[in-house]
Amino acid sequence: MADNELIVGEPRLGWLIDGNPETPEAAVMLRDTGSVIELRIPLQGVFGEEGPYGRWWSSCTMYADDPERTKYSYTPPRVMLFHDDCGVVALVGCRAGGAHKSLGAGYGVIVANYAVLGGRSLKYDKVNGMRSDIPAMASWTGITSMIVKTNNDAEGLLESVQVELKRLSPVSISRTLNLAIHPLWEARQPRTSFSARERIMLGTMVKDARSWEDHLMVHGAVWDLVSIAAWRPFTVARLEVCRGDDLVRTPRGTTERWSQVVTHRLPQYSDDKSRKPSFLFWYDNIGARGVKRWLRLREAYTDALDPFLSILRSDEPWSDANVVQIGIVLEKLGYLIDIKKNEGAHLNGQDQLSFMKALQVILDDMPVTPFVDDDTATDNMPDNESSAGNTSDAWKANIRAAYMGLKHADRTLPDSLDLINALRKSILVVRFWIANQLGVHQNVLEDGRKSDPLSKRFIGID
């Protein structure tokens, strides 16, 4: 039997279960197009009978036999099951796409948000558990269940390799949907080889099933945190879900069925092994308490953090548009800090905050900034960062000139190199502010002034 998987561009022919016992199973085609998960349902031609599903694509049609639209189904169920010789797939978030008909035949398209490979329940619109794998979690947390020891002879040649795999308990990090880090591994031993794979997965699990959005909001917040720590847009390599009413039998009884999810609603995974991530701070620097703080911070400062993360995920991260975007981020962040922590002490009579005051409000809320004081020797500066350019006053002047120069036609536009350096330093300011809020120790951030890639000034090439 072939594996139960969706390969882009390869159709699977099978049967549809819509959950209505009065409709017969219909032969359908399931396919991952590379951009959507679609199900094609055969239909009669223009003059044929509607059949049990034909009215799903008739939102603008009036029917004399059902003017109130109560006798028949006019929209597909949110969850349907597809099955063929490879297995069962639960299709979640189904909606009608386009329909194509000729005189003799046609087909209608159903688009699904998620395909749960192996899911056997029609209730997958809500799930009890979700696990996600972004490979950077392993580096960021430092958690591993694998110990590899090598033994060499006197000449340095490899004599033996000892691999020890231990089952580690989940690391609880928040009561929010019982968020935890799950060290998981699997081993295979074919006749002539041995392979082991470890995943450090993020997991949520609740007794009463919750919506996908509820789970993804918590997972996404942690993905954001790891991405900010490295300033790289990490993506999900694997997503799994489970339901309490969809169990799998084992020799020891029944247990949770964790099913892999195929979706195009999340950024597609790209494995860039050429660059090892460099983190401004690690999980050990903040622990579970820091993650809890982040979940609160992510919610309280959404208006500033959403546009900040859009810079991170941008196709052109050093564009002029993102210089304007970081200005918006700084304005919003300074305003939110002032009303949440300072009771609006710096607002004017119209409850507004000037751009320069917003910058200072941010700096005043940071025990450690990315800037070295003016009296610090230049040989302690990060590479290519002069003393004069590494002060808070210099940064405020540079980002104001960049932001205002791009916003207003009557302002002088700084040199392109000055624009991206103002953006670079401003990104570092916001990352330092976040790290401070999460409880990262002063020594870690002082090291980050030198080691973080964004601490290195861009220079022109003549």
Side-chain angles (χ1 to χ4, degrees), residues 290-339:
V291 175
K292 295 172 187 174
R293 289 177 178 175
W294 167 248
L295 294 177
R296 293 193 297 267
L297 195 76
R298 184 72 179 87
E299 183 176 357
Y301 290 86
T302 295
D303 289 348
L305 294 175
D306 278 352
F308 183 60
L309 286 159
S310 73
I311 299 174
L312 174 63
R313 301 180 182 122
S314 171
D315 292 334
E316 298 181 12
W318 301 109
S319 66
D320 288 355
N322 280 333
V323 177
V324 176
Q325 185 83 325
I326 196 64
I328 294 171
V329 170
L330 294 167
E331 278 190 315
K332 288 180 177 289
L333 182 58
Y335 177 82
L336 290 171
I337 293 171
D338 203 53
I339 63 173

Side-chain angles (χ1 to χ4, degrees), residues 88-216:
V88 183
V89 180
L91 301 174
V92 183
C94 296
R95 61 192 183 278
H100 305 269
K101 286 186 179 183
S102 65
L103 293 177
Y107 66 87
V109 175
I110 298 295
V111 177
N113 292 337
Y114 308 100
V116 183
L117 306 179
R120 297 172 178 270
S121 171
L122 286 164
K123 298 180 180 179
Y124 267 100
D125 55 326
K126 294 183 178 181
V127 294
N128 296 90
M130 179 178 287
R131 296 196 303 217
S132 63
D133 172 23
I134 58 169
M137 280 288 292
S139 300
W140 187 64
T141 62
I143 297 172
T144 181
S145 54
M146 184 183 302
I147 300 174
V148 180
K149 297 179 181 179
T150 59
N151 296 313
N152 299 327
D153 60 17
E155 298 179 356
L157 299 177
L158 183 65
E159 281 189 329
S160 64
V161 178
Q162 181 180 354
V163 180
E164 182 180 0
L165 296 167
K166 288 186 176 181
R167 178 173 294 175
L168 301 180
S169 299
V171 179
S172 178
I173 54 178
S174 175
R175 292 183 180 179
T176 304
L177 275 62
N178 297 309
L179 180 66
I181 299 171
H182 296 259
L184 305 171
W185 55 267
E186 59 182 15
R188 298 180 181 179
Q189 191 172 3
R191 291 179 58 188
T192 59
S193 65
F194 172 82
S195 65
R197 178 163 188 168
E198 181 181 47
R199 295 182 185 273
I200 305 300
M201 302 190 78
L202 194 67
T204 47
M205 176 64 75
V206 289
K207 181 179 179 181
D208 297 324
R210 301 281 290 270
S211 70
W212 289 67
E213 289 72 20
D214 287 345
H215 287 275
L216 285 170

Side-chain angles (χ1 to χ4, degrees), residues 1 27 34 51 64 75 78 82 106 191 217 244 286 288 307 311 320 326 367 434:
M1 178 184 292
T75 56
R78 294 293 290 170
F82 167 91
R191 291 179 58 188
M217 186 176 297
I286 63 172
I311 299 174
D320 288 355
I326 196 64
I434 291 170

Side-chain angles (χ1 to χ4, degrees), residues 424-445:
R424 171 191 63 83
K425 203 71 178 187
S426 299
I427 292 171
L428 200 59
V429 167
V430 180
R431 292 172 67 215
F432 264 67
W433 178 81
I434 291 170
N436 277 293
Q437 306 309 303
L438 304 186
V440 178
H441 195 273
Q442 176 177 341
N443 293 340
V444 175
L445 294 178

